[in-house]
Amino acid sequence: MKTLVIVAHPDLTNSRINRTWMNAFQQQEHVTVHDLYATYPDFKIDVKREQELLMAHDRIVLQFPFYWYSSPALLKLWQDEVLTYGWAYGQSGTRLHGKELMLAFSTGGPSAAYQPTGVNQFKFDQLTTPFQAMANLTGMTFLPPYILSGVRTLSDEALVQATSSLIEQTLLVPTRK
Ligand SMILES: Cc1cc2nc3c(=O)[nH]c(=O)nc-3n(C[C@H](O)[C@H](O)[C@H](O)COP(=O)(O)O)c2cc1C
């Protein structure tokens, strides 16, 4: 079982959460960490290389800070350019079939803000439906996401704990086939 962690953070130098997660993933066996913004600072994505990376792994983790209720822009561009018709979807687009997709993201807003009565009004499972739909269309199983909310007030101890939980959930969640 090989896991690909695609990290999409435009400013990892000043990141607290995603940098910690990325460093932790880099120490795991059978995990490839792929820093999207470092690889493509000019936003010129090598589609063939990305498709080969996807093909070489079983579980794909998209790791990012929540930006405007979604992912940072380069990850959206990656979806637009890499998940092509005839490759990822459409009649002959079966290359991702049977793989697993998992989201791991951090949010500034606390979990209470992501309730119908909260400031953001929508729950995480509503806001992540485009990713879920993407998994459906490309024949991937959408695994339960790992969401760390309210990170502005998160203690260092809680971050250490959350990072362990993320690694455990990512690497140990049973394959559903
Ligand atoms: C451009 C931008 C958009 C953001 N949008 C959201 C948002 O929609 N919801 C939210 O809860 N936090 C939002 N945030 C806060 C980030 O999610 C938060 O700073 C990030 O998860 C912290 O992770 P890091 O330490 O790895 O940078 C946003 C931050 C930025 C800079």
Side-chain angles (χ1 to χ4, degrees):
M1 163 69 120
K2 285 161 102 187
T3 300
L4 174 65
V5 180
I6 298 178
V7 180
H9 194 304
D11 186 14
L12 273 172
T13 313
N14 291 307
S15 152
R16 180 172 171 240
I17 310 299
N18 284 269
R19 189 159 43 109
T20 303
W21 289 355
M22 189 174 94
N23 290 343
F25 274 127
Q26 276 166 336
Q27 288 159 31
Q28 307 305 314
E29 276 182 42
H30 311 298
V31 173
T32 306
V33 175
H34 182 40
D35 179 349
L36 219 50
Y37 276 88
T39 310
Y40 304 115
D42 54 3
F43 275 49
K44 291 204 171 86
I45 294 174
D46 182 340
V47 172
K48 193 162 173 285
R49 176 188 177 185
E50 294 302 312
Q51 291 180 338
E52 280 167 4
L53 259 180
L54 288 170
M55 295 284 287
H57 294 81
D58 312 293
R59 180 171 293 165
I60 315 300
V61 179
L62 304 179
Q63 186 210 303
F64 54 89
F66 214 36
Y67 275 13
W68 285 108
Y69 309 106
S70 186
S71 70
L74 185 55
L75 184 56
K76 180 60 169 65
L77 185 66
W78 176 92
Q79 288 177 267
D80 295 352
E81 297 193 349
V82 177
L83 308 178
T84 52
Y85 177 80
W87 189 86
Y89 68 100
Q91 215 168 17
S92 61
T94 57
R95 303 304 205 292
L96 298 174
H97 280 198
K99 296 186 188 296
E100 297 171 325
L101 183 75
M102 178 180 154
L103 304 181
F105 62 88
S106 57
T107 77
S111 57
Y114 288 95
Q115 296 296 328
T117 51
V119 66
N120 295 316
Q121 298 183 17
F122 295 103
K123 295 180 176 188
F124 286 124
D125 60 359
Q126 295 173 294
L127 295 168
T128 55
T129 47
F131 289 102
Q132 223 165 318
M134 176 197 119
N136 291 345
L137 190 68
T138 58
M140 293 195 277
T141 301
F142 189 74
L143 298 178
Y146 184 87
I147 304 169
L148 185 61
S149 53
V151 297
R152 282 189 208 100
T153 55
L154 194 78
S155 70
D156 288 345
E157 293 74 29
L159 177 55
V160 169
Q161 182 56 51
T163 304
S164 301
S165 303
L166 168 63
I167 299 294
E168 196 176 327
Q169 181 174 325
T170 305
L171 302 183
L172 295 187
V173 71
T175 307
R176 298 199 228 128
K177 287 218 163 126

